[in-house]
């Protein structure tokens, strides 16, 4: 069934399975917060399957231990605030040395609330942010305002990120995913590689260490700005980042009019239908496609085949243990 599923390509084998820790791995999560009047209780936890109810939780073993073992503490903290009925969620973001909480506060914190949050921040070495409305309203309340970070130590790269930036949530699997994607691309010193949907540089910066130029393209301005800062922080001068919509008018952009030796893409769940139909124009010998949705990967594989690329191998990464979601990495070569 695999050949039929992936655009009619015949494929010898499923090359690899990337595994990692099954507990304490999740470094990004959103916990819902709700005060239940009938029970006079503040609930902090994940939404249940139907989305209407919030599960009652004391801890979560899948979450990074810095946060997963503290859910009861979060509940106690939020219950002690003057606006306990007006906090909608906690976004948790874990770097390798610090953890940040972003509290979605629908009313302003009182001075006493800020004092309580500061004590909690010091006690648990956490950075605490408030978010009164959109993402631009995120501001530090207590702790350090230094960005969080994680290491891609095989490549001598440190990736800095803000608490609400997109990152791959499983550090160990992400490291192995980066290594495998680079292995598939076989980058050479003289090459120019394109990284589409590059985010904050998770693949671009390790690639830049191995090629003459790595070009990263991303639609979100915040991510592009962070990627540029990450290049500077790592002393990488041969990574160029462009802000560009990758769904519609990308063919008018300057980066589209270069030749590339290899292309890496890591699109959202919706895939990259239009891109895949025209990627052949860039003349790359190899394409590596990182996907979080097998359905759109199968569709796009068929499109790439029509553009002259055959599927060579595919690997599965268990990025989200205990869930049905899998990440896949597919390697295509020009035929």
């Amino acid at each position: 069934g695999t050949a039929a599923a992936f655009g009619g390509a015949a494929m010898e084998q499923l090359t690899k399975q990337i595994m990692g820790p099954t507990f304490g791995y999740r470094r990004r999560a959103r916990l819902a917060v709700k005060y239940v009047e009938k029970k006079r209780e503040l609930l902090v936890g994940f939404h249940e399957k139907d989305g209407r109810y919030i599960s009652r939780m004391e801890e979560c073993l899948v979450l990074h231990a810095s946060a997963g073992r503290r859910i009861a503490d979060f509940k106690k903290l939020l219950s002690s605030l003057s606006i306990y009925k007006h906090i909608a969620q906690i976004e948790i973001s874990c770097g390798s040395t610090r953890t940040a909480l972003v509290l979605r506060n629908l009313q302003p914190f009182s001075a006493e609330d800020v004092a309580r949050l500061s004590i909690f921040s010091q006690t648990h070495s956490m950075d605490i942010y408030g978010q009164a409305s959109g993402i631009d309203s995120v501001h530090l309340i207590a702790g350090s305002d230094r960005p969080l970070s994680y290491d891609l130590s095989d490549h001598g790269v440190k990736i800095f990120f803000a608490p609400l930036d997109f990152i791959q949530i499983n550090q160990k699997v992400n490291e192995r995913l980066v290594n495998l994607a680079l292995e598939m691309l076989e980058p050479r010193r003289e090459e120019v590689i394109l990284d589409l949907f590059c985010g904050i540089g998770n693949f671009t910066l390790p690639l830049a260490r191995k090629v003459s130029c790595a070009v990263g393209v991303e639609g979100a301005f915040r991510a592009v700005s962070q990627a540029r800062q990450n290049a500077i922080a790592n002393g990488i001068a041969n990574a160029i980042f462009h802000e560009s919509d990758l769904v519609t008018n990308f063919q008018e952009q300057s980066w589209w009019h270069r030749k590339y030796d290899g292309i890496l893409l890591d699109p959202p769940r919706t895939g990259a239908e239009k891109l895949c139909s025209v990627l052949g124009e860039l003349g790359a010998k190899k394409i590596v496609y990182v996907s979080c949705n097998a359905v759109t990967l199968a569709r796009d594989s068929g499109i790439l085949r029509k553009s002259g690329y055959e599927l060579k191998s595919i690997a599965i990464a268990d990025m989200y243990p205990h869930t049905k979601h899998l990440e896949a990495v597919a390697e295509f070569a020009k035929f």
Side-chain angles (χ1 to χ4, degrees):
T2 311
F6 283 90
M11 190 178 55
E12 290 84 72
Q13 68 204 71
L14 182 70
T15 53
K16 282 187 182 163
Q17 294 182 38
I18 301 174
M19 310 298 282
T22 53
F23 290 102
Y25 70 83
R26 193 181 178 112
R27 53 185 178 166
R28 277 296 310 271
R30 179 181 293 168
L31 294 177
V33 179
K34 190 178 184 184
Y35 183 74
V36 183
E37 290 283 358
K38 275 184 189 170
K39 296 179 181 170
R40 298 201 161 184
E41 184 188 5
L42 189 76
L43 290 179
V44 177
F46 291 109
H47 280 289
E48 290 182 2
K49 207 171 181 184
D50 67 0
R52 282 187 16 240
Y53 299 106
I54 296 169
S55 58
R56 184 181 266 101
M57 297 172 69
E58 293 292 311
E59 62 176 359
C60 174
L61 297 175
V62 165
L63 265 180
H64 189 280
S66 66
R69 295 198 180 130
R70 299 238 164 92
I71 293 174
D73 296 332
F74 297 159
K75 180 177 166 177
K76 199 172 165 188
L77 169 70
L78 299 185
S79 300
S80 75
L81 302 178
S82 70
I83 59 163
Y84 65 93
K85 291 184 184 178
H86 305 285
I87 294 169
Q89 65 186 36
I90 308 176
E91 292 247 14
I92 297 164
S93 208
C94 306
S96 51
T97 58
R98 287 187 76 80
T99 290
L101 306 178
V102 181
L103 307 181
R104 180 75 176 87
N105 58 304
L106 307 176
Q107 286 194 5
F109 294 106
S110 69
E112 200 173 82
D113 292 341
V114 171
R116 285 173 194 263
L117 292 169
S118 298
I119 291 165
F120 189 90
S121 162
Q122 284 164 17
T123 309
H124 298 292
S125 298
M126 285 187 176
D127 306 326
I128 301 179
Y129 295 78
Q131 183 186 359
S133 54
I135 196 164
D136 290 329
S137 71
V138 173
H139 65 285
L140 185 74
I141 296 172
S144 158
D145 65 350
R146 291 195 312 272
L148 300 166
S149 68
Y150 64 87
D151 293 301
L152 294 169
S153 47
D154 291 348
H155 307 281
V157 168
K158 188 183 277 288
I159 303 279
F160 295 91
F161 63 100
L164 297 186
D165 283 343
F166 172 81
I167 56 168
Q168 296 284 14
I169 65 165
N170 189 321
Q171 166 70 18
K172 197 40 84 183
V173 171
N174 181 56
E175 287 170 23
R176 291 168 184 165
L177 197 63
V178 169
N179 290 354
L180 179 65
L182 265 61
E183 223 174 87
M184 286 176 166
L185 274 171
E186 296 177 312
R188 295 191 186 143
R189 182 51 61 206
E190 70 281 2
E191 290 184 334
V192 178
I193 304 282
L194 177 64
D195 178 12
L196 298 168
F197 307 94
C198 70
I200 58 176
N202 185 55
F203 291 101
T204 330
L205 298 177
L207 269 167
R209 294 262 193 239
K210 297 179 180 296
V211 297
S212 81
C213 182
V215 178
V217 184
E218 166 61 47
F221 167 73
R222 279 174 171 280
V224 174
S225 167
Q226 186 63 55
R228 287 177 180 146
Q229 288 172 46
N230 283 336
I232 292 164
N234 284 279
I236 292 173
N238 63 328
I240 300 163
F241 293 96
H242 298 270
E243 181 194 351
S244 171
D245 174 9
L246 288 168
V247 181
T248 50
N249 305 322
F250 53 84
Q251 286 164 290
E252 296 158 22
Q253 308 289 323
S254 61
W255 60 266
W256 184 262
H257 301 286
R258 289 184 77 163
K259 279 276 174 274
Y260 298 97
D261 298 288
I263 298 170
L264 186 143
L265 66 157
D266 184 6
R269 295 190 66 75
T270 46
E273 193 168 4
K274 185 181 176 192
L275 256 175
C276 288
S277 68
V278 291
L279 273 186
E281 292 174 20
L282 301 181
K285 301 184 294 288
K286 278 204 155 181
I287 295 174
V288 171
Y289 187 136
V290 180
S291 165
C292 59
N293 183 351
V295 176
T296 50
L297 174 59
R299 178 201 68 201
D300 292 349
S301 296
I303 296 168
L304 285 172
R305 189 167 175 78
K306 285 182 191 142
S307 308
Y309 288 89
E310 65 177 324
L311 182 61
K312 302 294 281 185
S313 70
I314 191 161
I316 300 298
D318 194 5
M319 184 69 79
Y320 316 94
H322 309 289
T323 75
K324 63 181 189 295
H325 298 291
L326 289 168
E327 201 93 354
V329 196
E331 173 190 6
F332 298 87
K334 211 164 183 46
F335 55 72

